[in-house]
Amino acid sequence: MSHLDCRLNPGTPRGVSSVVGPHGVGASPGDKKSKNKSVRGKKKSIFETYMSKEDVSEGLKRGTLIQGVLRINPKKFHEAFIPSPDGDRDIFIDGVVARNRALNGDLVVVKLLPEERWQVIKPESCDKETDGAYESDLPEELCGSHLLQQSLKGDNDSPDVIIEAQFDDSDSEDGHGNTQSVLVDGVKKLSGWVHEKGKEDAGASGTKDESTSVAQDTRALPEKSLQRSAKVVYIVEKKHSRAAAGFLKLLADKNSELFKKYALFSPSDHRVPRIYVPLKDCPQDFVTRPKDYADTLFICRIVDWKEDSNFALGHLAKSLGQAGEIEPETEGILTEYGVDFSDFSSEVLECLPQGLPWTIPPEELSKRRDLRKDCVFTIDPSTARDLDDALSCKPLADGNAYEVGVHIADVSYFVPEESDLDKVAAERATSVYLVQKVVPMLPRPLCEELCSLNPMTDKLTFSVIWTLTPEGKILDEWFGRTVICSCTKLSYEHAQSMIESPTESVPGAELPPMSPEHTREEVHQAVLSLHRIAKELRKQRFSDGALRLDQLKLAFTLDHETGLPQGCHIYEYRDSNKLVEEFMLLANMAVAHKIYRAFPERALLRRHPPPQTKMLSDLEEFCDQMGLPMDFSSAGALNKSLTKLFGNDKYSLARKEVLTNMCSRPMQMAQYFCSGALQDQEQFRHYALNVPLYTHFTSPIRRFADIMVHRLLAAALGYREPPGVEPDALQKQADHCNDRRMASKRVQELSTGLFFAVLVKESGPLESEAMVLGVLNQAFDVLVLRYGVQKRIYCNALPLRSHRFQKVGKKPELMLVWEPETLEQEPVQQVRSRAGAALPEHHCVPVHLGEPASCLLGPGETGSLLRSPGTQPPCWEEADNLEMPTRREADLPAMCDSHRGSGPPAQAPQLRPQRAGTAVPCKPCPNY
């Protein structure tokens, strides 16, 4: 882990104003006393000088300082948190001054403030960290993120290209996957409950009335009313890229000296400070024609941030193009998250075998088990190009067992250690999957040709082969290097057709080309056998205490010529996906045990810590209040509770989706680690899988961690020398893989959000239904069950006569009194309760989704409106046909049947300007 020097480079302009803007890193409401003042010709410091490394090390040893990753609330940039080491309530960092120039994701050291300065949480407010925790902190596996593969060229007779969600074998690893397709059909009237995600108002008033930091006698307050507060005293590692996409503006004071030298860069991400950039970096005519660049997106990099300046100093790196367009926004996203999307250098490409097609050298063939005559095949999304896993299954002579193989592309053969190729792959650490393309970890000739297990071509593989009973019991296990020749490339749809037609042959016209050495019937029977065994393995896994939290995934339909989204549909997770999942999990667990037995101090494993204690106890308390019999004592107990609590009808599954969403929030991120870096083996455990050891072995084309595991397995089998790397160095690479995996996940989410926003913009306003998740003082959160989307709806954006927050018993309730549509009408009252008890028929609310009408809504964001009772929503057929969108971007429920096909409205309702990341409400359909 690198300890960066706490000193920043010189160069901050003198005379920097301390004005605070919505993007700014000026003084927060609690920082007003820290304004920039001149004292004897010198500017007073706004930020504290960082502690020395020696003092930090000593403080960490004594326990007077705490280290953690900084999370900044995306809805309130002045609020930040780091996890508490004991798993209790997060430690609160109040204001930009207390954050001391650290940015989101940085590894920081904090010092607790005196108890009288701790955060006082009012009874009606929730943990403040809830707002800042759900952006992307959840494990990729728990979120069930699916990789979006780059599409193949569309057929000439079809302008559409379907971008499918690829199953990631790690999805269920932390419990998350896909909900059943019954939810896709739409959710109508749902009875049940909603949860209190938060009681604070992150909203429109911008006040801090829910919880305050006050100097009072905190000894008289209950412990639950206090949240430990701290300030940043050192940045251990600047993990934030210090780059941001945003817009250029002229300084407000045209008579100042600064106006002649600098422009103001306003980042789209409000958590990044405003930045002064030299005018020499700006377009030549920017000063005279600033309006020409009002909608131009730029990239800026922070180069300095001095103690005496509210704003950072930066370098304008690049003009990206028109804001809101897919490619400029995509490049901005990639740059902000430090994704290397540059072309591979000639030095890297020289590491590859020269001249394609490449053939396996005879001496290499002689070292491997030859499986080329076996019936081996791949099952992937139809658009997948990097095929890194294949399966085989054949009955043994006695008829009571099967030989089942998982065959993984032997990427490590083509990536020599310490080569230029190895170094760049280690730095990238993962492929990054966007909606429209993939940023590969390895050069495309490797990903798509040399390593990809394309059909009817000899390929080098690393295999795990078991002898299994029909019930999934392992009788024997073998690991080794192999060579295969896949007989066909099945899609998930092909495999599903075989599973659904066990006694009938799938017509040859519906199947891909096959090797003449194997028949369609042979492949069909192999798929059926794998399916039967996978069902037994899955049944046993959950019986042994595994957890799965299903969430919805989306796939976009893109126009072949323009690349713009034409539609979006829910990705259906079916038995063919589960088949592949079970055997990938089995292989990963088998390899984990193998490398740990061989190298107990140097095994690269993957652990999943238990849920955060405080958040889990809050959720347990909530479920008790709601009368929900949930057992949170273990992963398996939680999974059984979710299974038993609900039926299989679509209404029950919709209610389960809400509770699943709540249960996912306390979950922590799964992490790669070196076994020698942890002393307590109990910490090796994987919570969601409920297994003692786990690793990643099955996706080396797109994950560098898997390449490292392949090398360890090769050493364990005697193919190569034991690893010489020390545990500390291995842990450092594991940490880097964790960081890049997290960044990749966030980039994927933002890409999905961007395409969804463009889709909404191009398709017009849409109507759907959402369930109230939680009630705040001046806002409420909704979850769109049909699409797994969350939004916050603010009362001040509604045409309300009044609104009132209160508690009925322990349940928060928000009373909305709508303005009448006509003078003759009476005001309409509407209650939003977290349990939906006050008005059971109205805890599912119709929501209007539209294009942002304000530049304050950032790229990839959509506005949402709650419709008032008694008004007809503009429900029309086009919206129903749109196969809509993805997590985190909008609130979309199903339209009532009587309004379908009624045609679009003459004019879409206009949205009020809102700050980025917020929802804007509209009015509900009378039939709900």
Side-chain angles (χ1 to χ4, degrees):
M1 187 173 295
S2 62
H3 291 261
L4 303 182
D5 195 322
C6 63
R7 293 172 299 170
L8 299 178
N9 297 327
T12 302
R14 300 189 64 80
V16 170
S17 166
S18 60
V19 175
V20 181
H23 296 80
V25 170
S28 71
D31 300 328
K32 293 180 181 177
K33 294 181 181 179
S34 300
K35 286 185 178 180
N36 192 12
K37 297 179 181 179
S38 296
V39 179
R40 295 181 182 177
K42 293 185 178 181
K43 295 198 299 180
K44 183 178 179 181
S45 291
I46 296 169
F47 301 104
E48 290 187 10
T49 302
Y50 295 125
M51 294 177 65
S52 68
K53 293 179 182 179
E54 294 74 19
D55 290 344
V56 167
S57 297
E58 186 62 28
L60 290 172
K61 290 177 183 176
R62 293 198 310 266
T64 57
L65 301 178
I66 300 172
Q67 180 172 296
V69 175
L70 184 74
R71 294 195 327 274
I72 302 175
N73 190 334
K75 293 189 175 77
K76 288 185 176 180
F77 70 85
H78 62 270
E79 297 178 353
F81 310 88
I82 69 164
S84 176
D86 58 7
D88 201 359
R89 191 191 304 273
D90 284 352
I91 297 169
F92 180 54
I93 301 168
D94 187 14
V96 177
V97 171
R99 203 156 70 226
N100 202 0
R101 295 162 287 168
L103 298 184
N104 190 61
D106 285 354
L107 184 63
V108 300
V109 174
V110 303
K111 181 179 181 180
L112 290 179
L113 300 175
E115 189 171 336
E116 61 267 17
R117 294 179 61 188
W118 287 3
Q119 193 78 359
V120 178
I121 302 174
K122 290 185 178 181
E124 69 270 19
S125 75
C126 75
D127 295 342
K128 296 179 71 63
E129 63 263 31
T130 56
D131 251 355
Y134 306 134
E135 179 191 34
S136 61
D137 288 3
L138 295 176
E140 174 183 323
E141 298 86 355
L142 265 176
C143 294
S145 85
H146 286 259
L147 305 181
L148 303 184
Q149 289 283 3
Q150 184 176 5
S151 66
L152 298 170
K153 285 189 175 182
D155 297 330
N156 293 330
D157 57 348
S158 171
D160 298 342
V161 181
I162 303 296
I163 308 298
E164 297 186 69
Q166 175 182 334
F167 176 74
D168 179 351
D169 58 76
S170 66
D171 289 352
S172 69
E173 172 198 326
D174 286 353
H176 267 62
N178 298 79
T179 51
Q180 298 298 321
S181 59
V182 64
L183 286 179
V184 180
D185 298 331
V187 181
K188 296 283 195 305
K189 297 178 181 178
L190 302 173
S191 60
W193 37 268
V194 292
H195 101 295
E196 177 184 6
K197 168 191 168 187
K199 308 173 188 111
E200 65 151 327
D201 173 25
S205 66
T207 62
K208 295 174 72 174
D209 57 346
E210 305 81 9
S211 52
T212 56
S213 182
V214 295
Q216 61 176 325
D217 186 3
T218 58
R219 292 172 296 180
L221 293 169
E223 185 178 348
K224 289 181 68 175
S225 298
L226 291 178
Q227 182 172 15
R228 290 186 295 172
S229 300
K231 62 181 180 180
V232 174
V233 297
Y234 189 75
I235 301 178
V236 178
E237 188 173 2
K238 294 179 180 178
K239 294 193 175 184
H240 189 283
S241 67
R242 266 54 185 179
F247 301 90
L248 273 182
K249 301 177 181 178
L250 290 175
L251 298 182
D253 185 359
K254 296 184 178 181
N255 298 318
S256 68
E257 287 299 314
L258 284 174
F259 184 87
K260 301 175 183 178
K261 297 179 180 179
Y262 296 97
L264 185 65
F265 179 80
S266 184
S268 300
D269 186 347
H270 295 194
R271 296 168 297 180
V272 179
R274 286 188 174 184
I275 305 166
Y276 284 103
V277 295
L279 286 176
K280 63 181 177 62
D281 291 351
C282 302
Q284 289 185 353
D285 60 347
F286 171 69
V287 174
T288 57
R289 303 175 64 88
K291 291 184 179 179
D292 291 355
Y293 299 93
D295 296 325
T296 301
L297 200 62
F298 292 89
I299 286 289
C300 183
R301 296 186 183 276
I302 294 175
V303 298
D304 189 17
W305 195 358
K306 283 235 181 241
E307 295 172 4
D308 59 3
S309 177
N310 284 309
F311 297 154
L313 181 67
H315 163 64
L316 200 63
K318 188 177 183 181
S319 170
L320 296 178
Q322 183 75 14
E325 293 184 356
I326 286 175
E327 289 310 315
E329 295 287 359
T330 296
E331 186 171 342
I333 292 169
L334 293 171
T335 303
E336 285 185 24
Y337 283 86
V339 176
D340 181 1
F341 56 95
S342 62
D343 293 336
F344 290 95
S345 68
S346 58
E347 291 80 9
V348 169
L349 295 177
E350 285 172 3
C351 297
L352 305 180
Q354 301 302 305
L356 295 176
W358 175 81
T359 56
I360 302 172
E363 59 271 20
E364 185 61 33
L365 283 174
S366 65
K367 301 175 184 176
R368 295 173 177 262
R369 181 171 171 178
D370 194 342
L371 303 177
R372 287 177 290 179
K373 294 189 181 298
D374 287 16
C375 181
V376 180
F377 49 87
T378 59
I379 304 177
D380 288 280
S382 59
T383 56
R385 292 179 175 178
D386 49 353
L387 315 179
D388 46 16
D389 58 88
L391 294 165
S392 63
C393 179
K394 61 181 180 182
L396 297 180
D398 61 7
N400 296 319
Y402 294 88
E403 183 183 273
V404 176
V406 169
H407 314 282
I408 307 300
D410 190 357
V411 178
S412 61
Y413 175 87
F414 296 96
V415 185
E417 281 193 87
E418 298 303 321
S419 65
D420 289 329
L421 176 59
D422 183 52
K423 292 173 183 176
V424 75
E427 183 60 32
R428 294 193 178 201
T430 180
S431 295
V432 179
Y433 289 80
L434 306 169
V435 170
Q436 78 277 34
K437 61 185 177 183
V438 180
V439 180
M441 180 182 75
L442 297 168
R444 293 199 183 277
L446 267 184
C447 297
E448 300 174 8
E449 294 291 337
L450 293 167
C451 295
S452 184
L453 305 182
N454 299 325
M456 290 170 273
T457 308
D458 293 353
K459 296 292 180 180
L460 301 179
T461 47
F462 225 139
S463 300
V464 184
I465 299 175
W466 302 274
T467 301
L468 294 173
T469 67
E471 295 73 36
K473 182 180 179 181
I474 298 175
L475 303 178
D476 192 21
E477 188 174 64
W478 180 88
F479 301 87
R481 285 177 169 169
T482 54
V483 56
I484 67 167
C485 183
S486 172
C487 65
T488 189
K489 175 191 173 184
L490 296 179
S491 67
Y492 284 118
E493 290 75 19
H494 295 141
Q496 188 65 32
S497 296
M498 293 178 175
I499 291 170
E500 293 173 356
S501 305
T503 59
E504 299 177 8
S505 296
V506 178
E510 297 179 11
L511 294 175
M514 290 198 180
S515 166
E517 296 184 11
H518 301 282
T519 64
R520 293 195 302 272
E521 289 71 22
E522 185 180 3
V523 174
H524 192 169
Q525 288 306 311
V527 169
L528 291 176
S529 298
L530 288 170
H531 170 58
R532 287 191 293 267
I533 298 171
K535 286 199 299 183
E536 295 297 326
L537 290 172
R538 189 178 185 85
K539 178 181 175 182
Q540 188 60 47
R541 264 202 318 115
F542 288 109
S543 176
D544 291 342
L547 167 66
R548 186 176 184 87
L549 299 176
D550 289 326
Q551 290 192 340
L552 300 173
K553 307 294 176 296
L554 293 172
F556 287 86
T557 304
L558 304 185
D559 183 275
H560 178 60
E561 295 180 356
T562 66
L564 293 174
Q566 291 183 322
C568 198
H569 60 276
I570 298 297
Y571 181 78
E572 191 174 358
Y573 183 71
R574 298 188 290 183
D575 287 338
S576 56
N577 302 87
K578 296 175 184 178
L579 182 160
V580 176
E581 173 189 1
E582 288 307 317
F583 289 107
M584 298 304 114
L585 290 173
L586 192 65
N588 286 333
M589 288 186 281
V591 171
H593 284 272
K594 185 70 175 179
I595 62 174
Y596 181 64
R597 284 195 301 268
F599 308 111
E601 296 294 316
R602 290 176 172 80
L604 182 68
L605 302 174
R606 188 160 172 83
R607 69 190 186 97
H608 182 211
Q612 298 178 47
T613 307
K614 176 63 175 65
M615 295 180 72
L616 193 66
S617 62
D618 287 347
L619 178 58
E620 188 170 11
E621 181 180 347
F622 160 74
C623 289
D624 288 342
Q625 292 174 7
M626 295 300 102
L628 298 171
M630 298 290 293
D631 184 352
F632 292 95
S633 60
S634 67
L638 175 56
N639 194 79
K640 289 178 181 177
S641 295
L642 288 169
T643 303
K644 291 180 179 178
L645 193 60
F646 302 99
N648 288 321
D649 62 281
K650 62 182 179 182
Y651 307 122
S652 295
L653 288 170
R655 292 193 293 271
K656 182 179 179 181
E657 175 73 11
V658 176
L659 186 56
T660 296
N661 178 276
M662 296 161 56
C663 290
S664 69
R665 293 179 174 181
M667 300 300 167
Q668 299 195 65
M669 175 63 79
Q671 299 174 335
Y672 298 112
F673 72 101
C674 173
S675 55
L678 288 179
Q679 301 302 316
D680 184 3
Q681 192 169 341
E682 188 62 26
Q683 294 183 337
F684 292 15
R685 290 194 64 84
H686 200 291
Y687 173 80
L689 293 176
N690 195 31
V691 295
L693 296 174
Y694 190 71
T695 194
H696 274 170
F697 162 75
T698 55
S699 295
I701 291 178
R702 60 182 177 85
R703 292 190 303 230
F704 190 75
D706 299 54
I707 294 179
M708 297 167 69
V709 168
H710 277 228
R711 290 169 177 167
L712 286 167
L713 182 58
L717 297 172
Y719 292 125
R720 53 176 290 163
E721 293 295 318
V725 62
E726 292 299 316
D728 287 347
L730 190 58
Q731 182 60 48
K732 184 176 180 180
Q733 183 62 48
D735 290 336
H736 180 68
C737 288
N738 291 330
D739 293 340
R740 298 320 306 159
R741 193 167 174 81
M742 190 66 194
S744 172
K745 176 179 181 293
R746 181 63 180 146
V747 165
Q748 185 179 341
E749 291 171 352
L750 291 172
S751 177
T752 300
L754 171 63
F755 271 77
F756 181 52
V758 171
L759 180 62
V760 172
K761 177 182 177 181
E762 296 296 321
S763 303
L766 305 168
E767 298 294 324
S768 193
E769 183 181 61
M771 178 178 280
V772 178
L773 273 175
V775 175
L776 315 179
N777 291 10
Q778 302 185 49
F780 56 94
D781 293 322
V782 294
L783 174 68
V784 182
L785 300 164
R786 190 176 180 185
Y787 307 106
V789 171
Q790 295 182 46
K791 275 291 182 180
R792 177 160 293 180
I793 295 181
Y794 293 96
C795 294
N796 76 335
L798 291 163
L800 298 177
R801 176 164 291 184
S802 65
H803 65 276
R804 185 177 73 255
F805 176 86
Q806 62 183 358
K807 280 207 167 187
V808 180
K810 292 184 177 181
K811 300 174 184 177
E813 186 175 279
L814 190 62
M815 175 70 72
L816 309 180
V817 182
W818 295 82
E819 288 284 3
E821 292 292 313
T822 65
L823 295 176
E824 292 77 20
Q825 289 180 332
E826 292 293 322
V828 181
Q829 289 193 0
Q830 194 173 18
V831 178
R832 297 284 172 249
S833 165
R834 80 171 174 182
L839 286 175
E841 292 296 320
H842 286 279
H843 64 282
C844 281
V845 295
V847 183
H848 168 97
L849 176 71
E851 176 187 358
S854 167
C855 61
L856 294 180
L857 280 174
E861 293 176 350
T862 50
S864 50
L865 298 164
L866 174 67
R867 292 196 169 276
S868 68
T871 62
Q872 289 217 352
C875 304
W876 62 93
E877 192 170 2
E878 286 81 359
D880 196 43
N881 291 338
L882 254 173
E883 317 172 296
M884 286 314 313
T886 190
R887 269 184 10 183
R888 82 168 280 284
E889 283 322 327
D891 334 26
L892 304 174
M895 291 160 280
C896 64
D897 291 332
S898 62
H899 284 137
R900 282 200 177 93
S902 59
Q907 184 176 1
Q910 294 298 305
L911 309 189
R912 299 187 184 185
Q914 293 291 308
R915 48 193 247 178
T918 63
V920 192
C922 80
K923 302 186 175 183
C925 160
N927 293 355
Y928 283 121

